[in-house]
Amino acid sequence: CLTTLCKKCQNIPQCKYKEKRVWVTYKEGVYDITDFIVEHPGGEQILLAAGSSVEPFWMLYAVHNNSHVLHLLENLRIGNLSKDESQDLTSDMSDPYNSDPLRHTALKAAAVKPFNAETPPFILVEQFITPNELFYVRNHLPVPHIDPETFELEVEIEGRNKSVILTLDELKKLPKHTITATIMCAGNRRSEMTKIKAVKGLSWGAAAVGNATWTGVRLRDVLKKVGVDEDDKSLKHVQFEGMDFDPTGKTYGASIPLWKALDKRGDVILAYEMNGVPIPPDHGFPIRVIVPGVVGARNVKWLGRVIVSEKESDSHWQQNDYKGFSPSTDWDTVDFTKSPAIQELPVISAICKPLDGQTVQVEDGTILVKGRIRRSCGPRTKLSTSVGYAWSGGGQKIIRVDVTTDGGNTWHVANLDHQDSSEPPQHWSWTLWSVRVPIKPGTTNVEIWAKAVDSCYNTQPENFKNIWNLRGVMKTLLTGSTMDSSM
Ligand code: HEM
Ligand code: MTE
Ligand code: MO
């Protein structure tokens, strides 16, 4: 029936969908999605498929490749296409991900189209610098192919008639600047938060993070070239546009406050090298902005345009994603205009060895250090080592990591094994740590918690319950890792 109104529309007089029903197809099925539009987690984008097949869009957003989505869809079925019709609708769809780069098989994929994958955790804490091939990848769209010979970066001040265009060679002629910085996705450790209560998003483990050296030019120098006046208080944000785009031509985008870009100590760079080689295709070739201390989402890859503006980026990822909310806010009550976009991330730590549920051999007189068993001539206490990383946003440094195996009654101060010497608020890299924790003889099950403290003396909350948020961002609690030790 084309006249029934959905429950939500009856309460919203201005709802624009109440006039007519909207249908889509999937394989041979026809589905009335009218009532579902307002509930769709991906928002009004669903209307792109109105009157046609959802399949080309689902190739882009592989989040739909699960039984939950198909089950949902089944409830909306109103009929079927004849065989000929269904062929017409699906025949000439080419997969936009066909030309994505080849990836290292060790990367653990949370989704394939778009490609999202993390480093195996035990490898992550092996090295202070994460190798390019194993660095986590978080793409929202297909990887764009950019010819470095014809590449041009557009930089402009909105509404001021001021702009410059820079080729890759021109950019490389500006003073070179190298920083070592950790990039972390706001969704890092989402799978642990999900255990408390379901959240929406990719199920990341604890390895959607990595540390690399980045070489490029200071954004500050480029902004000066275009004539940005540091004292012009009306300019507040720098917007970035990637060259990856969705089926409507919309590009990935984000913005940061202008002060961060202009501050010499902000170290924001337009990077063309990652760990000493040209930035790999998955990480933004040929140019990517590195905004150290700030959430991964603002570190725009495949950078094509930089716009200095009075306003933040109006992209989906700046406005309707990557924001935090109260644990009691749900998808019915959430109002994305009420929370600021995440920039600097709070302090975090994670235990990567042993992993949750992993069985560890603790032998008399032997110590497990960084995955290797070493003979010890020391006291005959049973010891084991857990190894992890800790990091804080805003250029803060990790000053301490405390570890407990008895629910917080006694704490062991971890050894900060790898940490660079830069001072806060310019300490952009993570800290790798380890600790030897005594295990009482006869213990078979141990829960290990770690909490990091940063140079502002901020520390991590004790459980997920109190920081739970519907999008599953910023999981900064004490890291719990259960270890079975067989003796
Ligand atoms: C997410 C259902 C069509 C774009 C989702 C999710 C569901 C869903 C259940 C959440 C999945 C999860 O987080 O596990 C549907 C159904 C559709 C449909 C039943 C058709 C009847 C579309 C179309 C587009 C689209 C046509 C794009 C043109 C998205 C995006 C997300 C999403 C971008 C991710 C949002 C996020 O980042 O959380 N959809 N969808 N969807 N959908 Fe759809
Ligand atoms: N830039 C573009 N153009 N497109 C994207 O999808 N993803 C962002 C950010 N920059 C993204 C992007 C997100 S959410 C993160 S966490 C980081 O890139 C991931 O960087 P990496 O893939 O190099 O690890
Ligand atoms: Mo991210």
Side-chain angles (χ1 to χ4, degrees), residues 61-358:
Y61 302 111
V63 65
H64 299 94
N65 283 341
N66 71 54
S67 54
H68 163 65
V69 173
L70 292 179
H71 185 77
L72 224 158
L73 196 60
E74 207 39 56
N75 289 332
L76 309 175
R77 193 191 283 258
I78 49 170
N80 288 311
L81 294 171
S82 74
K83 248 203 167 130
D84 292 351
E85 279 173 306
S86 66
Q87 259 164 14
D88 272 3
L89 281 164
T90 50
S91 58
D92 63 350
M93 285 159 196
S94 64
D95 181 350
Y97 291 96
N98 267 343
S99 56
D100 263 21
L102 286 175
R103 279 108 184 186
H104 196 292
T105 48
L107 283 175
K108 202 175 125 239
V112 179
K113 299 174 182 185
F115 191 71
N116 291 285
E118 59 189 306
T119 321
F122 62 95
I123 296 177
L124 191 67
V125 290
E126 281 293 322
Q127 278 158 292
F128 187 63
I129 297 291
T130 315
N132 290 357
E133 298 72 25
L134 296 176
F135 204 96
Y136 85 99
V137 178
R138 199 321 177 206
N139 295 340
H140 291 82
L141 297 158
V143 173
H145 289 261
I146 301 157
D147 179 356
E149 298 295 321
T150 56
F151 170 82
E152 285 181 338
L153 179 73
E154 274 178 62
V155 188
E156 64 181 73
I157 309 180
E158 198 171 58
R160 302 287 167 90
N161 238 342
K162 280 187 182 171
S163 65
V164 289
I165 289 183
L166 294 162
T167 64
L168 201 52
D169 281 345
E170 285 164 343
L171 265 170
K172 287 183 179 172
K173 285 196 185 108
L174 293 171
K176 204 170 172 169
H177 189 58
T178 298
I179 57 167
T180 307
T182 293
I183 308 284
M184 186 172 85
C185 183
N188 192 31
R189 296 186 60 205
R190 184 180 279 141
S191 59
E192 293 167 64
M193 190 179 265
T194 300
K195 286 179 195 157
I196 304 302
K197 190 171 140 191
V199 294
K200 228 167 250 168
L202 291 169
S203 186
W204 289 111
V209 57
N211 192 47
T213 63
W214 309 93
T215 299
V217 301
R218 289 179 190 271
L219 177 56
R220 186 175 188 272
D221 293 346
V222 174
L223 295 185
K224 279 202 185 142
K225 250 184 131 55
V226 73
V228 172
D229 173 5
E230 294 197 36
D231 298 323
D232 183 343
K233 292 284 180 279
S234 66
L235 297 173
K236 291 199 166 71
H237 303 275
V238 188
Q239 305 174 359
F240 305 112
E241 273 180 27
M243 293 170 87
D244 46 339
F245 52 85
D246 73 10
T248 63
K250 265 219 177 97
T251 56
Y252 182 87
S255 61
I256 60 167
L258 179 62
W259 72 260
K260 170 75 176 166
L262 289 178
D263 186 355
K264 215 170 174 179
R265 295 181 191 183
D267 278 338
V268 180
I269 58 173
L270 305 186
Y272 47 81
E273 278 176 19
M274 177 177 184
N275 292 332
V277 298
I279 296 197
D282 262 329
H283 300 289
F285 181 84
I287 296 286
R288 160 198 211 154
V289 60
I290 293 294
V291 192
V294 161
V295 64
R298 316 293 168 224
N299 292 251
V300 175
K301 307 192 273 192
W302 313 292
L303 190 66
R305 260 178 103 199
V306 176
I307 306 150
V308 182
S309 172
E310 294 169 12
K311 299 185 308 278
E312 280 190 285
S313 162
D314 63 7
S315 100
H316 169 79
W317 295 280
Q318 190 77 19
Q319 300 295 333
N320 296 318
D321 203 349
Y322 297 112
K323 292 184 173 188
F325 296 94
S326 155
S328 297
T329 300
D330 58 27
W331 287 96
D332 289 329
T333 55
V334 67
D335 177 353
F336 274 91
T337 63
K338 294 278 154 64
S339 281
I342 302 169
Q343 297 284 347
E344 285 85 0
L345 282 170
V347 59
I348 187 170
S349 70
I351 301 166
C352 296
K353 284 194 291 191
L355 288 176
D356 195 9
Q358 198 173 334

